[in-house]
Amino acid sequence: MHSSSPLEVIGSDKREQILQGAMQVFLSQGYASTSMDRVAAAAGVSKQTIYSYFQDKQGLFTALIERVTIDRMQHIFRAEELSDEPELLRYFAESFLQKMADPEFLSLLRIIISESARFPELASLYTRTVIQRGRSILTDYFQRHPELRIADPEATAQIFCGSLISFLIAQEILYGKEVAPLAGDRLVNALVTLFLDRTSPHPN
Amino acid sequence: MHSSSPLEVIGSDKREQILQGAMQVFLSQGYASTSMDRVAAAAGVSKQTIYSYFQDKQGLFTALIERVTIDRMQHIFRAEELSDEPELLRYFAESFLQKMADPEFLSLLRIIISESARFPELASLYTRTVIQRGRSILTDYFQRHPELRIADPEATAQIFCGSLISFLIAQEILYGKEVAPLAGDRLVNALVTLFLDRTSPHPN
DNA sequence: GTCTATAATCAGATAGAC
DNA sequence: GTCTATCTGATTATAGAC
């Protein structure tokens, strides 16, 4: 650990290469169905090279998922500072839905759920970063907007985020797109309406 | 098939026995990590007996999941006729949450998501029975209650069911119970409030 | 019909050449 | 440091005894 190129900070190149290959295979095949041979082939290195960078299959998988989880979390909530405009509820829903609809994020969500029993610490990490984060942003927003008359900001934030996530699971993972299609626009409209109509009672 | 214990009526006994064993192992270990040896041991039969009732591992898994899906669906929506009382929204949420919180249902949901790529037809069946069913019950309800001013009943029904399902995923599968606990009562209250407050504007 | 024993394949992990 | 070749054990599926 004393070899001293100035830019060594970025971590080893081969390690990155292995993680890239591992990502392709693990995210599409799942943990148990992924063989180290396929990871080696996808990464373009030999198996022994993988074992020199990672202790075993579990170690590789854990390192990979931890990294992808942190990456995705930062990407989704990057500078997502909710200002105080009322239309920001809609903006949050739209951008949340759009960002989480990318294949890599959906694969991550699927594998986190799949392996939640075998790797509870990964599921817990996911909950603490992605889910908790989204919930607390909205909780803060509801607390700063008493005119929305949200009695329980935390539970309501869970409802808001949860309806978006389960929409993605149903449509994109469980083939709802083909079986019972529902446009994302309609979901966002219905969701925002549910909240915004509370400020101005209907003219009746 | 001529051994004649009086209780032989229940359809092939061995087939049922195999499915029971398969359920234990598949639902807890997932598809790829389940070996036919363990299924045989759990069912108390030999491997060859399994192969005489089912074509192969995929065939056994498919038959099992199809049956469990239909079973659970009928159990959850049994006589769940939504009458027209307004408090039925709360009753629906409570009973939905309670029935879906049982371990067998959660394991089924988890494995359906896990294997959605390898067994798309199982995911599609799940969507058509469980998800579509819940959504359409609520869609009908919203359509029969125009005083709730639901512009898009279908999308709104998806939001209602979705927030319940994702709550279970977060709390029960992704260790939210330990990391960021949130009581079911609070979720149901917040959810119902969101809908019922729309009928009677606030006194302001 | 059901079991024991076995075939053929493939997995994760390691040893040793360069 | 990286690769080729290999070991050990487990897996799916089948053949043949009773």
Side-chain angles (χ1 to χ4, degrees), chain A residues 34 36 47-48 51 57:
Chain A
T34 292
M36 296 297 266
K47 249 198 304 187
Q48 178 59 26
Y51 280 99
K57 190 183 177 183

Side-chain angles (χ1 to χ4, degrees), chain B residues 66-101:
Chain B
E66 280 177 356
R67 218 198 49 160
V68 176
T69 300
I70 305 293
D71 273 10
R72 290 290 96 187
M73 185 267 288
Q74 288 173 342
H75 180 249
I76 289 178
F77 297 118
R78 172 168 35 99
E80 212 67 277
E81 302 301 331
L82 283 187
S83 71
D84 287 343
E85 315 151 33
E87 273 302 292
L88 235 107
L89 228 41
R90 173 184 298 275
Y91 174 75
F92 180 86
E94 276 170 354
S95 104
F96 196 71
L97 218 53
Q98 183 206 334
K99 284 176 186 162
M100 301 210 353

Side-chain angles (χ1 to χ4, degrees), chain B residues 27-72:
Chain B
L27 287 192
S28 69
Q29 309 290 321
Y31 178 77
S33 297
T34 292
S35 74
M36 296 297 268
D37 279 304
R38 293 202 54 172
V39 173
V45 300
S46 79
K47 250 195 307 185
Q48 179 58 28
T49 303
I50 299 179
Y51 280 99
S52 73
Y53 281 90
F54 301 93
Q55 196 178 17
D56 52 15
K57 190 182 177 182
Q58 290 205 8
L60 170 61
F61 182 73
T62 301
L64 170 70
I65 298 299
E66 280 177 356
R67 218 198 49 160
V68 176
T69 300
I70 305 293
D71 273 10
R72 290 290 96 187

